[in-house]
Amino acid sequence: MKVAVLGTGAIGAYVGTALHRAGADVHLVARGPHLAAMRQYGVRVLSPRGDFTARPHATDDPAEVGPVDYVFLGLKANARAACGPLVAPLLHDTTAVVAAQNGIPWWYFHRHGGPHDGHRLESVDPGGAVGAVLAPERAIGCVVYAATELEGPCVVRRLEGTRFSVGEPDRSVSARCLAFSGAMVDGGLKCPVEPELRGDIWVKLLGNISFNPISALSRTTMRQMCLHGGTRRVIEIMMHETLAVARALGCEVGVSVERRPAGAERVGDHRTSTLQDLERGRPLELDVLLAAVVELAEITGVEVPTLRTVHALSDLLALRSAA
């Protein structure tokens, strides 16, 4: 199995090292100090399960890698429309793109069935730019339940979790999903193949759609948000509105909204990825988390006043931080 990892942040590097340990032919596509460090030292993973170092091939030139069986896409969603020159040399006729992404993916309505089958979401795939470089037919969805962070160039710390759920847009249990899952498991990760992966997408989104923008707007950690009564209530309302949109699309998510803030509080003083991006002057990945659900609410006729309010505020924050 030949795999290219495009987007070698904490998640991409972690998955790349796991697949490398499983015996896959892994190529990490990176640049700058991160690439230089990986070439010199490999990737160091620090984990409660035991630290280790792996040395997969690392390059800044996808043409040097050539076509692969799988591209594991660890890029932020707002970087995907421009990734065509990086992806193109990695593709052959049957290359699968395993898309690890928070929020609503660009392939969401591909082979969805029902009245919205094939619909393109402007907030997720503006002008069709993402679909033009990442054909939905290639997509394998991936919902990440592992928490990792980069402690420095080529040093990944796993905080918790090892689960990466994967699934086909058409809900089939395909040979390509099973093969990828097997390699991930051989590398020490959990990787169930989920026919109804869209349910996992909404479960993960419940936290991201609320905690991420609120943390950036308030500059607070998970624990701090949940300990503040007013903010906690806003988070719960956002979650209920999100579940209403999911139900309108035929996706029943059996989770307790009231238990989610309690679980987040136990995480402690963790800064969400959106807050970290804000502090580092990076673009905020909010369109696929929040704008997409507001757009879905318009399509389905669901009232989401709190989501709209938080979206307006966080969108202004994103514009100001990018100026």
Side-chain angles (χ1 to χ4, degrees), residues 44-52 151 155-159:
R44 182 69 172 162
V45 175
L46 309 177
S47 170
R49 303 171 72 190
D51 302 345
F52 65 91
E151 290 205 345
V155 180
V156 177
R157 180 172 293 279
R158 185 187 75 84
L159 302 174

Side-chain angles (χ1 to χ4, degrees), residues 251-291:
C251 195
E252 288 291 338
V253 183
V255 297
S256 168
V257 164
E258 287 68 31
R259 293 176 61 181
R260 291 300 294 268
E265 183 181 332
R266 289 193 295 272
V267 171
D269 286 314
H270 170 68
R271 296 174 358 267
T272 69
S273 59
T274 303
L275 177 56
Q276 292 180 50
D277 286 342
L278 179 67
E279 293 172 341
R280 294 167 183 169
R282 296 173 179 170
L284 305 186
E285 190 185 32
L286 289 174
D287 285 345
V288 296
L289 300 182
L290 188 48

Side-chain angles (χ1 to χ4, degrees), residues 3-9 11-13 15-16 19 27 29 68 70-84 86-88 90-91 96-102 105-107 130 133-135 138-144 164 180 285:
V3 182
V5 178
L6 187 57
T8 53
I11 288 295
V15 167
L19 291 171
H27 304 264
V29 180
V68 299
Y70 297 89
V71 175
F72 183 86
L73 202 60
L75 296 171
K76 293 277 193 178
N78 46 25
R80 293 185 174 180
C83 76
L86 294 174
V87 172
L90 303 171
L91 303 179
V97 176
V98 182
Q101 173 186 322
N102 287 325
W106 82 98
W107 55 262
V130 178
V133 298
L134 300 170
R138 295 189 183 274
I140 292 175
C142 179
V143 178
V144 179
F164 294 76
F180 183 81
E285 190 185 32

Side-chain angles (χ1 to χ4, degrees), residues 207-255:
N208 290 141
I209 199 172
S210 51
F211 296 126
N212 285 51
I214 294 294
S215 70
L217 289 165
S218 61
R219 295 346 191 245
T220 53
T221 66
M222 299 283 276
R223 185 182 67 85
Q224 290 167 335
M225 281 185 284
C226 295
L227 286 177
H228 185 271
T231 303
R232 187 179 183 123
R233 180 57 183 153
V234 169
I235 288 168
E236 290 175 350
I237 292 171
M238 293 176 73
M239 289 182 177
H240 280 296
E241 290 181 357
T242 301
L243 287 176
V245 176
R247 283 194 296 270
L249 291 168
C251 195
E252 288 291 338
V253 183
V255 297

